[in-house]
């Protein structure tokens, strides 16, 4: 059985197995350190973890055999500071992301040993590892759940103001923290991860203006998945024209081919791009007089048409110059193949004479089906397409004067379109298709594959 290939441009988070259908399209990959930096900034550098740990209050520690074998109690033990926090990320195939946070927790409280009461400071190394899984995809949003949160305590340093400390106090503190800290820290990490999920999903669920033509409302198209090599995000978007009408397109979920040396893989399907191109390429009809000042091949086109005009057509000859009207026909269609992008576009070419004292005489109405080679790049957070003429197919729609053979007009019409219409189309496309600020990662030095 052959594998069905769907064509499109994709930004995905998914596990890819050999049995999945692959959406061929334009994929963008970002270097491995980018996602770790994003999570580190959101959780550590912005103080989110410190903020939610700040209210951490530990239960009282009671024990026997402190100084001089007196009963020991430690009360009011609370977090003072999170020192040297570090974060690392590992992708778990088919599960999600493994997040590891290593830090030193500085705790302080009151210690009563016998009748002696003084301040106690505790510095404890903690290593929290949590497996984060995406679930419950609905309308572009997902929930995250933490599975198998593990909190391991490392070295513990205890300091009393008097400097008097027995081994038994150290043992009491170690035992109590080992039994209580994991149950306190993992719920805090769960809260922080869910807050970060909302924050990062907000970078995907974004409404972005497309010049003055309309907007794109981005969202996730399917539930994220991971492989051990990359994290992908399947993005889709509602393309809306100014005035509120949505340009429809197929929003079926898709799968991605992996990029082995990258961590984050983004993609958009072909159907979405077609909707975006329809929004951008809205060129009004262009009418001009066929003179050399308009384009260099004007005289050659005029001569070629003059040869085709029947000799008996008295109104076809005279001092009035030819006029040409160019009109887009239908919507552009982008076709994506491996390492190649082509835009198909149809243009109606009306050649007519407008006499000062008479009606308009339509010499020719032609349809030009263009195959435009597309160069794809990312600039300023936007997907930019630059088009050049690859092929032209010319057909005769009608002629009021009986012209039927148009073979010799093809090169002249191609020159006409390259010199007059193609610059307008590329000017409209220069605005670019705005991309969401995915996870807050700037799209700089991005690898693109079709």
């Amino acid at each position: 059985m052959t594998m069905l290939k769907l064509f499109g441009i994709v930004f995905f988070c998914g596990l890819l197995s050999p049995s999945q259908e692959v959406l061929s399209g334009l994929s963008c990959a970002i270097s491995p350190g980018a996602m770790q930096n994003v999570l580190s900034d959101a959780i550590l550098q912005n103080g989110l973890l410190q903020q939610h740990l700040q209210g951490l209050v530990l239960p009282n520690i009671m024990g026997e055999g402190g100084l001089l074998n007196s009963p020991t109690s430690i009360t009011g033990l609370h977090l003072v500071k999170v020192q040297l926090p570090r974060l690392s990320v590992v992708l778990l195939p088919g599960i999600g992301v493994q997040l590891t946070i290593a830090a030193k927790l500085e705790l302080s409280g009151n210690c009563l040993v016998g009748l002696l009461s003084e301040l106690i400071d505790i510095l404890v190394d903690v290593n929290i590892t949590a497996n984060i899984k995406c679930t419950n995809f609905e309308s572009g949003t997902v929930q995250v759940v933490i599975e198998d949160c593990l909190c391991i305590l490392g070295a513990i340093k205890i300091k009393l103001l008097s400097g008097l400390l027995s081994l038994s106090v150290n043992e009491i503190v170690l035992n109590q923290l080992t039994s209580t800290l994991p149950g306190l820290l993992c719920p805090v990490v769960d809260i922080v991860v869910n807050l970060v999920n909302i924050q990062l999903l907000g970078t995907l669920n974004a409404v972005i203006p497309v010049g003055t033509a309309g907007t794109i409302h981005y969202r996730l198209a399917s539930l994220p998945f991971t492989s051990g090599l990359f994290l992908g995000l399947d993005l889709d978007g509602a393309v809306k024209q100014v005035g509120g009408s949505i340009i429809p397109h197929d929003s079926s979920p898709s799968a991605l081919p992996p990029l082995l040396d990258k961590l984050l893989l983004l993609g958009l399907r072909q159907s979405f791009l077609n909707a975006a191109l329809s929004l951008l390429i809205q060129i009004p009809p262009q009418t001009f007089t066929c003179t050399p000042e308009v384009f260099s091949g004007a005289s050659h086109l005029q001569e070629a048409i003059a040869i085709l005009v029947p000799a008996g057509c008295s109104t076809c000859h005279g001092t009035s110059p030819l006029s040409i009207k160019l009109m887009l026909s239908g919507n552009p269609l982008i076709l994506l193949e491996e390492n190649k992008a082509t835009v198909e576009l149809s243009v109606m070419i009306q050649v007519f004479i407008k006499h000062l004292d008479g009606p308009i005489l339509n010499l020719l109405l032609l349809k030009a089906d263009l195959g435009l080679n597309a160069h794809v790049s990312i600039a300023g957070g936007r997907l930019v397409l630059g088009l050049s003429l690859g092929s032209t197919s010319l057909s005769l729609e009608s002629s009021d004067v009986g012209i039927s053979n148009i073979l010799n007009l093809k090169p002249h019409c191609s020159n006409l379109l390259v010199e007059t219409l193609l610059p307008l189309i590329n000017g409209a496309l220069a605005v670019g298709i705005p991309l969401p600020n995915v996870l807050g990662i700037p799209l700089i030095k991005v690898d693109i594959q079709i």
Side-chain angles (χ1 to χ4, degrees):
M1 183 176 67
T2 59
M3 182 182 295
L4 175 64
K5 288 188 176 181
L6 306 177
F7 294 93
I9 293 192
V10 206
F11 292 74
F12 281 85
C13 173
L15 174 65
L16 183 69
S17 66
S19 62
Q20 285 182 285
E21 294 178 354
V22 175
L23 173 64
S24 299
L26 180 67
S27 58
C28 303
I30 297 172
S31 61
M35 187 169 59
Q36 182 163 305
N37 292 339
V38 166
L39 292 175
S40 182
D41 287 345
I43 294 175
L44 302 182
Q45 305 305 321
N46 293 340
L48 190 63
L49 180 65
Q50 172 87 20
Q51 174 189 340
H52 284 81
L53 285 176
Q54 203 63 54
L56 190 67
V57 177
L58 282 81
N60 296 337
I61 298 176
M62 310 298 293
E64 297 290 338
L67 187 63
L68 303 177
N69 293 321
S70 301
T72 301
S73 65
I74 301 174
T75 59
L77 197 59
H78 61 280
L79 179 73
V80 175
K81 186 178 180 181
V82 180
Q83 297 183 11
L84 304 174
R86 302 182 308 279
L87 181 145
S88 60
V89 174
V90 176
L91 297 179
L92 301 176
I95 298 175
V97 174
Q98 184 178 82
L99 181 69
T100 300
I101 300 173
K104 295 179 181 291
L105 301 185
E106 183 181 336
L107 308 173
S108 183
N110 297 310
C111 181
L112 178 64
V113 181
L115 299 177
L116 180 63
S117 177
E118 57 182 316
L119 293 177
I120 184 171
D121 294 322
I122 302 173
L123 190 63
V124 54
D125 291 346
V126 296
N127 193 287
I128 308 168
T129 301
N131 295 340
I132 302 172
K133 181 179 181 180
C134 295
T135 185
N136 295 337
F137 173 79
E138 183 178 357
S139 302
T141 63
V142 297
Q143 291 180 315
V144 294
V145 294
I146 289 185
E147 298 180 340
D148 304 324
C149 180
L150 179 64
C151 179
I152 299 176
L153 272 57
I156 294 180
K157 296 180 180 180
I158 303 174
K159 180 181 178 181
L160 288 172
L161 187 61
S162 66
L164 299 175
L165 183 66
S166 69
L167 292 176
S168 59
V169 171
N170 191 81
E171 184 179 352
I172 292 169
V173 171
L174 176 60
N175 292 337
Q176 290 292 328
L177 293 184
T178 301
S179 63
T180 58
L181 265 183
L184 297 174
L185 295 179
C186 282
V188 172
V189 172
D190 184 66
I191 293 172
V192 168
V193 166
N194 275 279
L195 290 174
V196 170
N197 177 57
I198 294 172
Q199 173 187 332
L200 295 182
L201 277 180
T203 67
L204 304 176
N205 188 17
V207 178
I208 308 176
V210 186
T212 58
T215 60
I216 296 177
H217 184 182
Y218 280 102
R219 61 182 178 274
L220 279 175
S222 61
L223 183 68
F225 293 95
T226 56
S227 75
L229 300 173
F230 72 93
L231 168 68
L233 296 171
D234 180 1
L235 294 187
D236 194 18
V239 182
K240 183 180 292 188
Q241 295 176 316
V242 170
S245 60
I246 293 178
I247 301 175
H249 69 276
D250 180 15
S251 296
S252 302
S254 310
L256 277 186
L259 297 181
L260 299 182
D261 59 341
K262 301 297 177 181
L263 185 65
L264 180 62
L265 185 60
L266 308 175
L268 289 171
R269 59 184 53 80
Q270 174 178 281
S271 57
F272 168 83
L273 283 183
N274 282 327
L277 288 183
S278 296
L279 182 65
L280 286 173
I281 303 178
Q282 297 187 24
I283 309 298
Q286 305 291 309
T287 303
F288 48 86
T289 302
C290 188
T291 63
E293 290 76 17
V294 175
F295 71 102
S296 59
S299 58
H300 298 292
L301 177 63
Q302 187 159 275
E303 290 171 3
I305 293 177
I307 294 174
L308 300 177
V309 173
C313 179
S314 58
T315 57
C316 299
H317 305 280
T319 58
S320 298
L322 297 182
S323 293
I324 298 177
K325 185 176 183 179
L326 304 178
M327 301 163 287
L328 298 184
S329 176
N331 293 320
L333 176 65
I334 188 167
L335 299 177
L336 300 174
E337 305 171 67
E338 187 172 356
N339 299 320
K340 182 181 180 182
T342 305
V343 174
E344 294 186 348
L345 187 66
S346 295
V347 182
M348 304 303 295
I349 305 174
Q350 182 185 12
V351 183
F352 61 95
I353 298 174
K354 186 176 182 180
H355 296 291
L356 294 178
D357 55 351
I360 292 176
L361 178 64
N362 288 310
L363 300 182
L364 288 170
L365 180 61
L366 306 171
K367 183 182 180 183
D369 294 316
L370 308 180
L372 304 170
N373 299 322
H375 172 72
V376 184
S377 62
I378 289 181
R382 295 172 179 267
L383 187 68
V384 181
L385 277 71
L387 304 181
S388 60
L389 184 62
S391 63
T392 305
S393 175
L394 198 64
S395 59
L396 176 65
E397 296 292 306
S398 64
S399 172
D400 291 348
V401 296
I403 296 176
S404 59
N405 185 358
I406 60 170
L407 291 178
N408 294 333
L409 298 183
K410 181 177 177 179
H412 307 302
C413 289
S414 295
N415 291 337
L416 166 71
L417 296 172
V418 167
E419 295 184 26
T420 60
L421 187 63
L422 199 54
L424 294 176
I425 295 175
N426 279 324
L429 291 175
V431 173
I433 301 171
L435 301 174
N437 186 23
V438 177
L439 306 183
I441 299 174
L443 296 175
I444 300 172
K445 296 182 179 179
V446 176
D447 291 338
I448 301 176
Q449 288 191 4
I450 299 176

